[in-house]
Amino acid sequence: MTLSSLSLRCSACGETYETEWAWCCDCGAPLDFLADPHPSRDAPDPRGFDDRRGLWSFADFLPVGPHVTLGEGMTPLVDAPEWDASFKLEYVFPTGSFKDRGATTTLSVAAELGVENVVEDSSGNAGAAIATYAARAGLDADIYVPASVKASKLRAIERAGATPVRVEGTREDVTDACVEAVERGDGWYASHSWNPAFFAGTATFAYEVAYQRGWSAPDAVVTPLGHGTLFLGAYRGFRALRDAGWIDEMPKLLGAQAAGYAPVAEELHGPTDGRNDAADGIRIRDPTRLGQILAAVDATDGDAIALSEAAAESELEDLHRCGFYTEPTCAVAPAALREYRDRGILSPEDDVVVPLTGSGLKG
Ligand SMILES: [Zn+2]
């Protein structure tokens, strides 16, 4: 058997996996798809582009077909005059977060490979997304979550028929327990940080932004940054668009981390102060793809900063007051937008897109 479009290559040592799927390289580094599909035709006229298949409208850029879908994608891109930016409403997804972008592609790969049982570890949103799409596919799912997981996210996992496995300790302990289960053969690792299919899915964020803007990239995109699920996906998507000749330039990618959980910002700027525990979705001290995140920052003249709990909470109030009913984690991105402008990293003329990544309804 060959994996064809699902063949893998190690991001660190270059080893390839062309006959059998592996969740990570023998050397311990994460794997990526060997081929980076993108269309060879010119960008279609945006006025005539058929977007009725949601994010699957960009099938030419995807390594897998829509085997497991709930009609996700094409989230609204709206003006946010109070922030002088555009917000992409990523909380308008079947499970209320952008993680559905990666869940639909990851479960589609699982279906193509004939997987019967998937496992994932998550602080909540990715777990709810994987559980929901596993239910759609008729697959069993074990979702490893911190013992402190929010009740609303636990409920979403349970109601989809998945098995939550609550783990005491840190977020890293949750991942360790999940990886042990994968190594034991308990299931296929549908990980939002390891599985390259997840990033192929989150790359559709970039295709949608470019299409909604008439095939142009903004000057900058400011995203929450934990494992880099959206940050790296956006990078890969904009890069594929540029390689296809559908956009001319890449946007600056600017990350928003939680103080106390800010390895990328600390790598760039030194130690951060305080601890932001409100942003429960990005409390990641050891991102799986740290090297790739730093390379994306470097390649786009980007940056990463850490936001305090107070800054995120005050931003969340502003978001809610202006009609954006989002969860605390996603408030770090518009808070970072303010900070990037204060620091002069962004000028008043820069046109900026900020994804609002998770709904307040299960916040
Ligand atoms: Zn390797």
Side-chain angles (χ1 to χ4, degrees), residues 289-305:
R289 294 174 182 265
L290 178 60
Q292 293 182 343
I293 294 168
L294 289 166
V297 168
D298 191 48
T300 65
D301 191 24
D303 203 346
I305 56 174

Side-chain angles (χ1 to χ4, degrees), residues 9-17 24-31:
R9 176 168 45 207
C10 176
S11 56
C13 75
E15 182 69 56
T16 57
Y17 295 78
C24 99
C25 183
D26 289 341
C27 81
L31 296 168

Side-chain angles (χ1 to χ4, degrees), residues 100-118:
D100 291 355
R101 289 192 188 279
T104 184
T105 46
T106 301
L107 267 295
S108 289
V109 167
E112 191 154 315
L113 295 173
V115 165
E116 289 173 0
N117 188 33
V118 299

Side-chain angles (χ1 to χ4, degrees), residues 45 98 138 177-178 195 275 301 319 334:
D45 184 340
F98 80 97
C178 185
N195 199 311
R275 216 170 99 165
D301 191 24
L319 286 169

Side-chain angles (χ1 to χ4, degrees), residues 8-314:
L8 303 168
R9 176 168 45 207
C10 176
S11 56
C13 75
E15 182 69 56
T16 57
Y17 295 78
E18 300 187 53
T19 54
E20 203 174 350
W21 184 272
W23 74 268
C24 99
C25 183
D26 289 341
C27 81
L31 296 168
D32 287 312
F33 289 119
L34 187 56
D36 219 358
H38 56 73
S40 49
R41 62 195 163 92
D42 290 343
D45 184 340
R47 287 165 303 181
F49 187 74
D50 183 357
D51 63 16
R52 285 173 297 176
R53 286 175 299 151
L55 64 82
W56 292 98
S57 305
F58 305 95
D60 289 352
F61 289 93
L62 294 168
V64 66
H67 304 304
V68 184
T69 173
L70 291 164
E72 56 288 309
M74 286 312 301
T75 56
L77 182 67
V78 302
D79 283 341
E82 292 84 355
W83 284 266
D84 192 19
S86 301
F87 284 169
K88 189 149 169 68
L89 308 187
E90 293 288 278
Y91 58 98
V92 185
F93 262 106
T95 76
S97 93
F98 80 97
K99 292 282 191 349
D100 291 355
R101 289 192 188 279
T104 184
T105 46
T106 301
L107 267 295
S108 289
V109 167
E112 191 154 315
L113 295 173
V115 165
E116 289 173 0
N117 188 33
V118 299
V119 295
E120 158 72 316
D121 57 282
S122 158
S123 63
N125 279 335
I130 291 294
T132 299
Y133 280 81
R136 176 71 164 165
L139 303 186
D140 291 330
D142 296 333
I143 310 292
Y144 287 70
V145 292
S148 61
V149 64
K150 285 184 176 168
S152 52
K153 292 176 178 173
L154 187 64
R155 194 160 53 242
I157 292 165
E158 286 175 329
R159 296 295 300 168
T163 307
V165 182
R166 298 173 73 162
V167 180
E168 297 286 346
T170 65
R171 179 67 184 80
E172 286 73 27
D173 294 330
V174 179
T175 299
D176 290 347
C178 185
V179 166
E180 274 172 37
V182 172
E183 294 286 332
R184 273 200 309 269
D186 284 4
W188 188 78
Y189 199 9
S191 168
H192 63 287
S193 68
W194 287 93
N195 199 311
F198 214 103
F199 293 86
T202 53
T204 60
F205 167 82
Y207 312 142
E208 291 182 17
V209 168
Y211 160 60
Q212 288 168 318
R213 297 168 43 88
W215 303 121
S216 79
D219 294 315
V221 175
V222 184
T223 83
L225 178 54
H227 266 305
T229 315
L230 186 55
F231 190 89
L232 268 184
Y235 173 64
R236 292 175 180 196
F238 284 115
R239 187 181 59 186
L241 286 162
R242 190 199 53 194
D243 291 350
W246 289 20
I247 61 170
D248 296 326
E249 288 191 54
M250 304 275 291
K252 254 185 220 284
L253 291 180
L254 301 172
Q257 300 211 279
Y261 307 88
V264 183
E266 292 185 356
E267 189 79 32
L268 298 169
H269 305 294
T272 60
D273 296 330
R275 216 170 99 165
N276 177 355
D277 283 320
D280 62 296
I282 53 169
R283 290 186 300 182
I284 305 294
R285 289 205 171 98
D286 188 14
T288 303
R289 294 174 182 265
L290 178 60
Q292 293 182 343
I293 294 168
L294 289 166
V297 168
D298 191 48
T300 65
D301 191 24
D303 203 346
I305 56 174
L307 282 301
S308 69
E309 194 163 310
E313 280 176 348
S314 130

